[in-house]
Amino acid sequence: MPCPFLGSLNQAFVRNYGSSLMKQYGNYCPIISRGFRSLGKDETKCPFIQQNNNSISEAPKEMTEDIVETVQPYKYENFFNEQISAKKRDYSYRIFRKVSRLAADGMYPQALEGQEYRQVTVWCANDYLGASRHPVVQDAAISAIKSYGTGAGGTRNIAGNSQLTEKLEGEIAKLHKKPAALIFSSCFVANDATLSTLARILPGCIVYSDAGNHASMIQGIRNSRATKHIFKHNDPKHLRELLSKSPAGVPKLVVFETVHSMSGAICPLEEMCNIAHEYGALTFVDEVHAVGLYGKHGAGIGEERGVQHLIDIVSGTLGKAYGNVGGYIAGSSLLIDTIRSLAPGFIFTTALPPPVLAGSLAAIRLLASEEGRTLRSKHQAIVRYFKLSLLVAGLPQLPSVSHIVPVPIQGADKVALVAESLMKRGHYVQAINYPTVARGEERLRFAPGPYHTPEMVDSLVTALIESFHENNISFDQFMINGACRECSLEYKVDMMQDEPFKFQVQVA
């Protein structure tokens, strides 16, 4: 019995295009589709197959060869374009300014900006005390280059461990009053490698992380895959509440910062450490924005408040107040040796080069000296002057008891516009937006230093007022042209540089 479908077609057409017809329509035939799978006794009732059972054994070769479904390659560039376009649409796309900071006397803290090399004043660098351009630090780095070259030569295990490396670690351990220290290529790596390793190897470890922690600590905790609980930023009561529910005898880490990088808040360090220890937890304390800036020798908030002994693991940076690059941790000898032996982020990374080691060593010693204390005093004085100047001008600022001065400007588009307006007026400060801060909490983050002058601050405040007006951002302005808008009396903030004080004046 002929197939009614094929029998209805011209036979020459069937001969020429039979293979294509079978490929396209074969699956629609209940007889042939079963025949492709198997030809058992009950698989078909086709009269032709029943009468000529031996004539059909398998599908012809032309029916199976070159059957390839065309799949278009994934459009990677389209995907990348959409990711970048989304960042631009919500104004969170980051543009890196071409800014070359100047180091010469009389030029710092100026920089050359853009293709025109226009001179601007830098207000957002984390080289807080200008250590990167101090002659003692520069001379140490230059001498190390002449003696040992510019590169480390490999990892610490392979040619990268030097006498300078161990001297620097010894100096860091001494600074923080710990038995040992370990340096890393950056403090991001130090935090990530230490937390991911510790929380992973400690059996059943539970991590308690401050809600305001830096991305490096969040990443390290995440990489460890340990159980974690997040407590409210700088909230000892919430920390206690969470720890009180933890099982006894289980390893625990309590992780937080002393000086918060974006708000300038300082944590209740002693209280948080005591609570952690009460429940048998180790404390991991990030002093990145405090080392070099607080304490008699610049060891941070722990030294400033006399509670260094309560910090089990302290992390710090060589790339901010110390003016170089790199990060470190300090703690017990066994803990440091454990991280040295087990942390991939340390083991497989090229060691810090000789000029960085020598420069960092010189910077730590410099800021631990009397000259360092003088720099810190000048630093605190100019920060206070800037905060009071903002207050007098009626410009907004977030409460901060540290050297970091955040000026809130809601909206990623608005904060970017104000930053651009300031740059046109010769002042460089970077707009801060998501993901560094939450959406709706955008800000300008100012970090004035000891080489900024009151005249520079006055110029900046004037530029800020003009930039707010230019971009239609309202604020409670009550100073007009340096005089009170109500009584027209001139008002000038006194710097009071020699006045001793422990923390900055808090401005609500």
Side-chain angles (χ1 to χ4, degrees):
M1 178 180 175
C3 173
F5 172 66
L6 294 177
S8 66
L9 300 174
N10 181 282
Q11 294 304 302
F13 180 83
V14 172
R15 283 194 300 273
N16 291 333
Y17 299 102
S19 176
S20 297
L21 288 168
M22 294 299 291
K23 290 178 183 179
Q24 189 166 356
Y25 299 108
N27 286 336
Y28 294 102
C29 176
I31 304 304
I32 293 177
S33 62
R34 288 205 300 268
F36 285 164
R37 297 191 299 271
S38 63
L39 293 174
K41 292 181 180 180
D42 299 326
E43 284 294 314
T44 180
K45 294 182 180 179
C46 178
F48 177 76
I49 292 178
Q50 288 177 347
Q51 294 173 12
N52 303 278
N53 195 40
N54 296 328
S55 64
I56 299 179
S57 57
E58 60 182 20
K61 182 180 180 182
E62 59 267 23
M63 290 177 60
T64 58
E65 69 180 1
D66 299 329
I67 300 177
V68 178
E69 291 186 12
T70 302
V71 179
Q72 292 295 324
Y74 189 79
K75 298 185 182 301
Y76 296 100
E77 291 300 309
N78 289 351
F79 174 81
F80 299 145
N81 181 64
E82 179 52 37
Q83 294 296 303
I84 295 302
S85 296
K87 297 287 287 181
K88 290 180 177 179
R89 283 193 297 270
D90 68 7
Y91 296 96
S92 64
Y93 181 72
R94 299 186 176 195
I95 298 172
F96 294 156
R97 290 285 189 180
K98 300 177 184 68
V99 178
S100 298
R101 295 191 305 126
L102 299 171
D105 287 340
M107 299 302 295
Y108 185 85
Q110 307 291 316
L112 300 179
E113 184 266 333
Q115 299 293 350
E116 300 80 17
Y117 293 89
R118 187 170 61 97
Q119 191 166 308
V120 297
T121 304
V122 179
W123 293 97
C124 54
N126 289 336
D127 182 12
Y128 293 123
L129 301 179
S132 68
R133 44 84 60 198
H134 194 284
V136 169
V137 177
Q138 288 182 333
D139 289 347
I142 292 168
S143 177
I145 289 175
K146 290 180 178 179
S147 296
Y148 308 114
T150 59
T155 65
R156 292 280 292 275
N157 188 50
I158 304 173
N161 197 59
S162 66
Q163 292 87 344
L164 271 176
T165 305
E166 297 189 2
K167 280 184 182 178
L168 178 57
E169 288 177 338
E171 194 72 25
I172 292 168
K174 175 185 172 185
L175 177 70
H176 290 287
K177 297 183 179 178
K178 302 295 179 192
L182 193 66
I183 57 177
F184 295 78
S185 55
S186 74
C187 198
F188 191 107
V189 175
N191 286 347
D192 181 9
T194 302
L195 288 170
S196 62
T197 300
L198 273 184
R200 174 175 53 84
I201 65 174
L202 286 169
C205 182
I206 304 173
V207 181
Y208 296 84
S209 177
D210 189 289
N213 275 344
H214 188 264
S216 58
M217 290 184 278
I218 295 171
Q219 186 70 25
I221 295 166
R222 186 176 294 150
N223 287 341
S224 74
R225 300 186 179 182
T227 301
K228 70 174 182 294
H229 299 285
I230 299 173
F231 60 92
K232 296 174 186 176
H233 182 45
N234 287 349
D235 190 334
K237 291 182 180 178
H238 192 217
L239 174 61
R240 178 183 291 280
E241 179 186 335
L242 293 176
L243 282 169
S244 67
K245 300 173 184 176
S246 66
V250 173
K252 307 174 191 72
L253 288 173
V254 174
V255 183
F256 56 96
E257 304 174 37
T258 52
V259 178
H260 191 262
S261 61
M262 288 298 127
S263 69
I266 298 179
C267 74
L269 178 59
E270 183 174 10
E271 186 177 3
M272 291 172 73
C273 287
N274 285 338
I275 291 171
H277 293 150
E278 181 182 337
Y279 290 93
L282 287 176
T283 54
F284 181 100
V285 180
D286 179 305
E287 289 257 44
V288 164
H289 290 273
V291 291
L293 301 174
Y294 298 92
K296 182 178 180 180
H297 303 94
I301 299 299
E303 182 187 38
E304 211 280 340
R305 297 184 176 177
V307 293
Q308 282 181 287
H309 62 287
L310 296 180
I311 301 174
D312 297 306
I313 311 161
V314 60
S315 73
T317 183
L318 304 170
K320 292 184 170 55
Y322 292 128
N324 281 268
V325 68
Y328 63 82
I329 61 168
S332 74
S333 296
L334 283 173
L335 183 143
I336 294 300
D337 202 18
T338 298
I339 300 302
R340 183 189 72 86
S341 302
L342 298 177
F346 171 82
I347 295 170
F348 300 106
T349 300
T350 300
L352 290 178
V356 170
L357 297 170
S360 299
L361 183 61
I364 291 174
R365 289 172 176 171
L366 168 72
L367 297 187
S369 71
E370 191 59 42
E371 184 177 354
R373 287 185 277 279
T374 300
L375 282 172
R376 281 191 286 279
S377 177
K378 290 180 178 179
H379 180 221
Q380 292 168 353
I382 199 67
V383 169
R384 182 175 184 272
Y385 181 83
F386 180 48
K387 288 180 177 181
L388 290 175
S389 296
L390 290 175
L391 180 66
V392 167
L395 287 161
Q397 59 182 302
L398 296 176
S400 169
V401 294
S402 72
H403 59 285
I404 294 166
V405 187
V407 171
I409 302 172
Q410 191 170 16
D413 54 340
K414 288 290 187 182
V415 73
L417 288 170
V418 173
E420 186 62 34
S421 296
L422 287 171
M423 183 67 94
K424 288 190 301 185
R425 291 167 171 81
H427 298 278
Y428 170 50
V429 61
Q430 185 62 41
I432 305 296
N433 53 32
Y434 180 83
T436 305
V437 294
R439 288 187 172 91
E441 298 181 9
E442 295 82 10
R443 66 198 61 184
L444 298 175
R445 175 189 178 276
F446 293 93
Y451 294 94
H452 288 101
T453 65
E455 291 74 24
M456 289 177 179
V457 171
D458 294 344
S459 174
L460 171 62
V461 171
T462 299
L464 265 170
I465 291 171
E466 293 172 356
S467 299
F468 271 55
H469 287 318
E470 183 177 288
N471 294 287
N472 299 314
I473 300 172
S474 61
F475 63 101
D476 187 23
Q477 182 179 7
F478 56 84
M479 292 296 294
I480 306 295
N481 296 325
C484 175
R485 71 182 182 193
E486 301 297 333
C487 65
S488 299
L489 288 177
E490 290 188 2
Y491 186 87
K492 178 68 176 174
V493 176
D494 291 326
M495 187 163 175
M496 293 181 289
Q497 179 173 306
D498 297 328
E499 178 186 345
F501 52 89
K502 191 172 183 180
F503 293 109
Q504 308 306 318
V505 174
Q506 181 167 334
V507 178

